[in-house]
Amino acid sequence: MTKNTTHISAEGRYERRRFLKLAGCGTLGIMTGGFWPKLNRFAAEVKTGSEFVPDIDIFLSARPDEVAIFPGVPTKVWQYHAKVENGDKARINKLPGSYLGPIIKVHQGEKIRILFKNNVPEETIVHWHGLHVPAIMDGHPRYVVPKDQAFLYEFEVKNRAGTYWYHPHPHGRTGPQVYRGMAGLFLVSDDQEQGLGLPDGEYDVPLVIQDRTFDSTNQLVYMSGHRMERMTGFLGDMIMVNGLPDFTLPVATCAYRLRLLNGSNSRIYKLAWNDGRPLIIIGTDGGLLEKPVYRKYVFLAPGERLELWADFNDHPVGYETSLTSLPFETGGMDAGRMSKNPRLPNGSDFPIFSIKVTRAIKNHLTLPAILSDIEPIQQNEADNFSHPRQFYLTMQHMQWSINGRVFQLEEVDGDEIVQLGSKEIWEFNNTGGGMMRMMNMPHPIHLHGKQFRVIERRGVMHEGYVDEGWKDTVLLMPGESVRFIVAFDDYSGMFLYHCHNLEHEDLGMMRNYFVRDTIESGQRI
Ligand code: C2O
Ligand code: CU
Ligand code: CU
């Protein structure tokens, strides 16, 4: 292992200015009046003098709240709330009765300003999962804001149309904060997508899948704190969809676009339709595929998204089916006997939500044969084509690690520095081996700031991956290796890569990578 540790702090000096002390400044009304010009000046400094003129201005906060999930006592949660300060109010959609944050809708090319205010009683920061934004806007844990303080985000939406999401990212506390309710969808549209005629409005359905455990007074139960439980990850015994238990989606006899997000801390789903029809997948993490793909079943790991085309035109009113999770093997450590949730271990068999055909309509959309433009992968364009960057997912001293290292807030090792403008192949190996075999577990690996293309998967024991299209999170079952290609074309600075099992992430199965925009002498690119 190289011991060439770099502490990056150069860009850190800008960050402090983005912490805005809002305590004492009173209501939001006062803030939007006297406060904005000052915020603009902070932003302008970062943008090297150019004024950022947002198309949409959002006030986002996180605070303790109560939601009536079950009859009786309401459930205490921590929840995101949002309000459009300036721009189209319809861009924010609250999910009724849910602890989840509102859905934020934007269009490619728009400039977004989000003032985030932290009203939960500990440090937090918002990360835009899957979005291609400058390092400073990415919600790195070193930008955490204390209670009653704020962070100003300003970025242009560069992503393709797709299903992205936002969630907290304070080091060591992401798992518990997401668990209490802090997560929301961030949907991007673009012109090409809008020209396709996909189901929209009520036929475009977000479905956030999570597992939770509640006590007898309807309160969320997280973990006992046992090391072993943290090492496998939290598993709840109740499946929630959009924050609701026993979820049923009433549908009409027509086509739907179902946007699935696995927002669970550590649970993996092996999705299949209960009535045996194939899953028709039209999109993944980074948006629409080139063309639809068909699968009998498909894995959805924490952090991953899948978009399904589901047409109910051949079913009568009264028809019922469900999306289920099929049983699967998860490897040594994650097996039911080791897990602290004997009632619903990872890899067990259960329904996720029901579908009920409730009305007939005559509006037939057909599945487009071509969904989007996706360039073929050019592996030999990679600067490290002959020596891909290697990452090993390992356990050391009862702690998950990447290449034997655990997260340090400002630390980047020599082999975690990439050159701006380069295109690279990264290879992740969940191969364990030897004594460690029993300790193997699935790990969904996520890269911040960039979407990548999966080139190759080895050691596969399962079918059911959708490696087509653009991805930001990729599941590695025990024994598997995955290679992907990623272009570091515009934003420099420090980003994260980590396991999206949130307990693994919180325990340090996360590292920084640094995109360098100068070539320093004596260092290998
Ligand atoms: Cu969902 Cu570090 O991200
Ligand atoms: Cu992310
Ligand atoms: Cu992991």
Side-chain angles (χ1 to χ4, degrees), residues 233-249:
F234 170 85
L235 294 169
D237 54 21
M238 193 176 263
I239 304 300
M240 313 290 284
V241 173
N242 295 344
L244 305 170
D246 303 317
F247 191 84
T248 299
L249 180 68

Side-chain angles (χ1 to χ4, degrees), residues 15-16 18-20 60-62 78 80 114-120 122-129 135-147 149-153 165-175 177-178 182-183 407 409 448 496 505-506 510:
E15 305 335 314
R16 301 300 149 187
R18 301 190 78 85
F19 298 100
L20 307 163
L60 178 72
S61 66
W78 288 0
Y80 286 120
I114 299 175
L115 178 64
F116 170 68
K117 175 134 190 246
N118 176 17
N119 288 126
V120 298
E122 62 183 47
E123 289 182 333
T124 191
I125 188 73
V126 185
H127 165 59
W128 316 98
H129 181 128
I136 179 178
M137 300 297 164
D138 189 56
H140 191 282
R142 64 189 170 143
Y143 305 153
V144 286
V145 287
K147 180 177 184 325
Q149 295 198 24
F151 192 94
L152 181 66
Y153 295 90
W165 63 303
Y166 61 99
H167 63 74
H169 226 297
H171 183 47
R173 298 290 298 163
T174 298
Q177 290 190 5
V178 170
M182 293 168 72
F407 186 66
L409 198 60
H448 275 225
L496 298 164
E505 172 183 337
D506 281 346
M510 173 159 82

Side-chain angles (χ1 to χ4, degrees), residues 25 273 452 505 509:
C25 94
W273 288 117
F452 52 78
E505 172 183 337
M509 197 179 192

Side-chain angles (χ1 to χ4, degrees), residues 231-232 393 400 441-445 498-505 509:
M231 282 176 58
T232 53
L393 309 177
W400 296 110
M441 267 197 74
H443 300 286
I445 294 299
H498 62 86
C499 177
H500 219 287
N501 174 317
L502 298 183
E503 284 70 40
H504 292 186
E505 172 183 337
M509 197 179 192

Side-chain angles (χ1 to χ4, degrees), residues 360-413:
I361 63 165
K362 279 205 188 58
N363 166 22
H364 289 317
L365 295 176
T366 50
L367 176 61
I370 298 293
L371 297 160
S372 72
D373 295 327
I374 294 194
E375 321 85 71
I377 298 169
Q378 303 285 358
Q379 279 197 59
N380 51 7
E381 281 181 2
D383 295 280
N384 64 351
F385 178 61
S386 54
H387 50 279
R389 224 173 258 268
Q390 298 288 335
F391 300 91
Y392 290 88
L393 309 177
T394 49
M395 177 178 285
Q396 304 212 187
H397 315 297
M398 297 302 275
Q399 186 158 12
W400 296 110
S401 60
I402 303 177
N403 280 347
R405 297 178 286 230
V406 294
F407 186 66
Q408 301 293 334
L409 198 60
E410 308 266 346
E411 185 182 285
V412 180
D413 264 357

